[in-house]
Amino acid sequence: MHTKGAAHAAPEGGACHWQGRGRALVLALALMAPTAGLTDALLPVPSGQPVELSDVLLDNNPGELWLRFRFIAPKIGSTVGRIGYDVASTDMAHLCETLAVPYVNKHQLEPALVVISFSDRAIEFGNASPDATQFFEAYRLEQSQCIWEGL
């Protein structure tokens, strides 16, 4: 498993889905450009890699609200021809600004951290998957801007 910063798993009911997986995806698409069709689940990112929203979770288990946006990015990895962390981190910052900030404002949330994670495959939250590549970034929100917080 490749991580920039490891987000904590949420035992004992820590994280919960925010209005379910399907609604989160529809909300994500609704927050994008008005021309985005509901059948197009890929989100635009600077690198152009395919990125799809998997889950939005509200996690109080760390003792404060962490808002987690989990994405499937099947082309990430550390081998030749894969999208490395250096490129993926730019995409994660972009998604924080263009997806997380409007989501927080719309739902009037006050998270201590916004965690953006990429995985090369679907993984249930809190489960280990040693064969998967995962990248994580955390941000605090100040005046509707994402400020990088190294985990």
Side-chain angles (χ1 to χ4, degrees):
M1 175 168 53
H2 303 271
T3 60
K4 173 64 177 173
H8 302 285
E12 298 185 16
C16 64
H17 290 272
W18 181 257
Q19 299 184 3
R21 182 178 183 170
R23 289 185 189 154
L25 180 57
V26 170
L27 175 61
L29 292 171
L31 290 173
M32 303 312 290
T35 58
L38 291 179
T39 59
D40 182 12
L42 298 180
L43 300 171
V45 293
S47 72
Q49 72 169 307
V51 174
E52 182 179 353
L53 181 64
S54 171
D55 293 303
V56 175
L57 304 173
L58 298 175
D59 187 359
N60 284 309
N61 194 47
E64 55 194 359
L65 178 60
W66 286 19
L67 182 57
R68 298 177 186 271
F69 289 84
R70 301 177 69 228
F71 296 90
I72 306 296
K75 292 189 176 187
I76 64 170
S78 59
T79 59
V80 174
R82 307 298 286 171
I83 305 255
Y85 172 78
D86 55 336
V87 172
S89 64
T90 300
D91 291 345
M92 288 187 277
H94 172 79
L95 289 168
C96 185
E97 294 288 343
T98 62
L99 185 76
V101 168
Y103 189 95
V104 165
N105 291 337
K106 178 177 174 108
H107 294 284
Q108 300 176 349
L109 299 170
E110 294 183 23
L113 283 179
V114 171
V115 177
I116 306 288
S117 64
F118 281 5
S119 178
D120 66 344
R121 65 196 75 180
I123 301 171
E124 187 175 331
F125 182 75
N127 288 348
S129 184
D131 296 334
T133 297
Q134 297 180 35
F135 298 141
F136 298 85
E137 277 299 357
Y139 306 88
R140 74 178 186 283
L141 301 183
E142 284 186 12
Q143 300 176 352
S144 294
Q145 292 195 8
C146 296
I147 309 299
W148 178 75
E149 288 281 315
L151 287 177

